[in-house]
């Protein structure tokens, strides 16, 4: 099996994340550990444009590395969305034919919910098992060294599952639609900033905190696995009870760390008065996302804790 797995130029086995990023070839895009950030070569500017003062600022921007990063991020998100859409359709057909549990899911539109969640688990799992991803996270937070294109492509891998769910999953609840739209908007806001600049204040600080939020949620991918598999398998089985408990514990740790880091950032911003105008809508968005996290934590607790299950049964008996 190892002989069939793709290899890097040095002969080592290629990581799943490298295979995913290699679908979008670009000079330097595979460099996760370089000391310096990517240097983009500006495109040549025609003479008639150079002589026109009206377009100077636009030409300067669209030949900059930041504009190049934004275009690359959008291209990556679009191509990934198309690939995931096709893969979801094929997976739906295969599962519907081979799996009786999947075929018997009712109502039928929940099948797309299961497929979307499993694809999200696969994408986030690829990130979590990658050594290069964790090396980049370490350098990001310990040295404040944000890589440019690899970071934003990784953000696109996270955001694509929410984007595709908006058009592939029928009858999404309004709260989930708002959640997916919010995460997609935050992705584009983060991509519009030059992450290679040092510091955590102003609009740059907001963009970096979006990355922090996404990194914490990425680690809690077991929650999505439980949400998908509970539709296919009996929720009271030993396997599902264990998965629910693991999902709950991982989500508690991720949410606690996430909220703690945001609280420290918020208090530091108040102390130094370093907030930008973008901080207020971002905090509102985080407040909305956090409320959804709390509801999900309560729901997982009710299904993972024997004491909570017995308490719910007692309440039901009393009501009846």
């Amino acid at each position: 099996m190892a002989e069939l797995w793709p290899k890097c130029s040095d002969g080592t086995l290629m990581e799943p994340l490298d295979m995913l990023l290699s679908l979008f070839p670009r000079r330097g895009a595979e460099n996760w550990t370089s000391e310096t950030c990517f240097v983009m070569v500006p495109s040549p500017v025609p003479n008639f444009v150079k002589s026109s003062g009206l377009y100077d600022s636009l030409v300067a921007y669209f030949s900059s590395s930041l504009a190049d990063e934004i275009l690359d991020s959008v291209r990556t998100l679009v191509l990934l969305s198309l690939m995931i859409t096709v893969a979801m359709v094929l997976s739906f057909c295969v599962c519907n034919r081979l799996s009786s549990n999947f075929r018997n899911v009712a109502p039928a539109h929940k099948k797309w919910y299961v497929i979307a969640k499993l694809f999200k688990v696969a994408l986030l799992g690829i990130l979590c098992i990658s050594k290069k991803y964790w090396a980049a996270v370490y350098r990001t937070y310990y040295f404040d060294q944000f890589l440019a294109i690899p970071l934003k492509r990784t953000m696109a891998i996270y955001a694509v599952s929410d984007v595709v769910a908006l058009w592939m999953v029928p009858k999404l609840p309004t709260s989930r639609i708002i959640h997916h739209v919010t995460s997609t908007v935050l992705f584009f806001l983060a991509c519009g900033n030059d992450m290679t600049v040092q510091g955590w204040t102003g609009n740059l600080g907001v963009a970096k905190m979006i990355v922090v939020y996404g990194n914490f949620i990425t680690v809690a991918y077991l929650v999505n696995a439980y949400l998908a598999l509970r539709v296919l398998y009996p929720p009271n089985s030993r396997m599902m009870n264990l998965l629910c408990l693991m999902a709950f514990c991982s989500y508690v740790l991720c949410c606690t760390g996430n909220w703690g880091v945001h609280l420290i950032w918020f208090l530091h911003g108040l102390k130094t008065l370093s907030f930008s105008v973008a901080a207020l809508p971002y905090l509102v968005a985080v407040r909305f996302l956090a409320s959804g996290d709390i509801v999900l934590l309560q729901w997982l607790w009710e299904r993972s804790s024997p004491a909570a299950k017995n308490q719910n049964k007692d309440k039901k008996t009393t009501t009846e």
Side-chain angles (χ1 to χ4, degrees), residues 105-296:
V105 170
H109 66 80
K110 275 194 173 182
K111 295 179 181 180
W112 287 110
Y113 171 85
V114 173
I115 292 293
K117 284 296 182 183
L118 291 178
F119 265 84
K120 187 167 187 175
V121 171
L123 291 172
L124 299 186
I126 287 175
L127 295 178
C128 288
I129 65 175
S130 170
K131 294 182 294 183
K132 291 186 177 181
Y133 172 76
W134 290 110
V137 169
Y138 171 74
R139 296 174 67 86
T140 293
Y141 299 131
Y142 194 81
F143 299 107
D144 194 12
Q145 294 180 351
F146 282 72
L147 294 176
I149 286 180
L151 170 66
K152 293 179 180 179
R153 287 186 173 184
T154 304
M155 292 166 57
I157 294 174
Y158 176 85
V160 68
S161 58
D162 290 333
V163 173
V164 174
L166 288 173
W167 67 69
M168 290 296 292
V169 181
K171 299 183 180 181
L172 270 178
T174 303
S175 60
R176 301 312 302 168
I177 294 176
I178 296 175
H179 181 277
H180 293 332
V181 171
T182 301
S183 62
T184 304
V185 171
L186 291 178
F187 162 75
F188 284 109
L189 290 177
C191 287
N193 287 267
D194 185 1
M195 298 287 193
T196 62
V197 178
Q198 298 283 314
W200 292 77
T201 60
N203 292 337
L204 178 63
V206 174
K208 290 184 176 182
M209 291 308 295
I210 293 174
V211 177
V212 171
Y213 198 100
N215 284 335
F216 273 106
I217 298 301
T218 297
V219 180
Y221 66 95
L222 285 178
V223 175
N224 294 287
Y226 177 75
L227 292 175
L229 296 179
R230 70 186 174 89
V231 181
L232 301 178
Y233 300 99
N236 293 326
S237 64
R238 180 177 299 181
M239 179 190 72
M240 294 305 298
N241 285 334
L242 178 60
L243 180 59
C244 184
L245 180 60
M246 293 171 60
F248 173 76
C249 293
S250 65
Y251 210 46
V252 167
L253 293 175
C254 291
C255 288
T256 302
N258 205 353
W259 299 337
V261 172
H262 276 77
L263 180 61
I264 294 173
W265 175 73
F266 175 72
L267 294 177
H268 181 267
L270 286 180
K271 181 180 179 180
T272 59
L273 299 178
S274 58
F275 281 131
S276 66
V277 179
L280 181 59
Y282 172 66
L283 290 174
V284 173
V286 169
R287 171 65 180 83
F288 171 78
L289 294 175
S291 63
D293 292 335
I294 293 173
V295 172
L296 184 54

Side-chain angles (χ1 to χ4, degrees), residues 72-108:
D72 183 87
S73 301
V74 173
R75 184 189 69 160
T76 302
L77 183 64
V78 170
L79 292 178
L80 273 175
S81 299
L82 295 175
M83 292 168 55
I84 297 300
T85 299
V86 174
M88 284 179 62
V89 172
L90 295 176
S91 300
F92 182 94
C93 297
V94 171
C95 291
N96 205 43
R97 183 176 181 84
L98 300 181
S99 173
S100 58
N101 289 344
F102 185 83
R103 192 163 49 247
N104 296 329
V105 170

